[in-house]
Amino acid sequence: MLNDEKYMRLAIDEALKAKDKLEVPIGAVIVQNDEVVASAYNLRETEQRSVAHAELLAIDEACKKLGTWRLEDATLYVTLEPCPMCAGAIVLSRVKRVVFGAYDPKGGCAGTLLNLLEFEKFNHQAQVVGGMLEEECGSLLTTFFRELRQRKKAGK
């Protein structure tokens, strides 16, 4: 539990980097053998790429660093419950465990809308821990979107 908090705080640090770039503040960290092997944050707006989600960028970095597409001993920490696309990538890359912060009522696929990560018909399932530092992770998003609406309103 203590290590989960420690690594989720690193994911929050990544989310803050996204916020500084006016990206949706979502951060991800991949840990294996108690060592951070990859970290990333959302870059969808910056790169204008729909697949530039924190989880996908972190998975890609981890695979390159480790020299394998199989992340069987890795834990992925992410500040928001993975969407369907990210959940699919997590399953396909064989991530062992996923720890997420805030639940996503609009697109969460680690238990909220459905659970692709533990779906028994897939050839791999990841262990899921939800709600780690949930309030802090959720507050990042709530504040970001409130400020975004205020900026848009002021610009009209």
Side-chain angles (χ1 to χ4, degrees):
M1 182 65 123
L2 289 177
N3 278 348
D4 284 347
E5 277 192 36
K6 169 184 157 183
Y7 293 122
M8 184 58 77
R9 291 201 184 283
L10 294 178
I12 290 170
D13 289 344
E14 291 296 312
L16 291 170
K17 293 176 188 176
K19 183 180 181 219
D20 288 344
K21 291 187 172 211
L22 300 179
E23 292 278 352
V24 176
I26 300 170
V29 172
I30 296 179
V31 175
Q32 186 168 292
N33 299 322
D34 208 28
E35 177 187 335
V36 174
V37 295
S39 60
Y41 53 88
N42 268 10
L43 286 171
R44 189 170 61 173
E45 296 299 327
T46 301
E47 296 184 0
Q48 288 299 297
R49 292 186 317 123
S50 58
V51 297
H53 286 204
E55 300 97 318
L56 295 182
L57 297 171
I59 287 169
D60 194 46
E61 181 184 326
C63 290
K64 287 175 185 171
K65 183 175 181 179
L66 297 172
T68 180
W69 62 269
R70 288 183 170 98
L71 303 176
E72 295 167 325
D73 296 319
T75 298
L76 183 145
Y77 295 86
V78 62
T79 56
L80 182 66
E81 182 180 2
C83 72
M85 175 177 66
C86 293
I90 290 164
V91 170
L92 292 173
S93 61
R94 310 291 198 272
V95 170
K96 181 177 185 175
R97 191 166 168 261
V98 175
V99 179
F100 70 86
Y103 288 84
D104 184 355
K106 294 181 179 179
C109 286
T112 297
L113 297 180
L114 57 128
N115 191 341
L116 293 176
L117 299 178
E118 295 179 320
F119 187 64
E120 65 280 346
K121 292 190 178 186
F122 288 146
N123 64 339
H124 175 78
Q125 293 80 40
Q127 300 167 12
V128 176
V129 176
M132 177 61 58
L133 301 178
E134 179 179 4
E135 191 171 312
E136 287 180 55
C137 294
S139 178
L140 271 174
L141 291 157
T142 302
T143 302
F144 174 80
F145 285 113
R146 182 182 320 112
E147 291 171 357
L148 182 64
R149 286 189 298 276
Q150 288 170 348
R151 279 193 302 274
K152 285 183 177 180
K153 193 174 183 180
K156 288 186 179 183

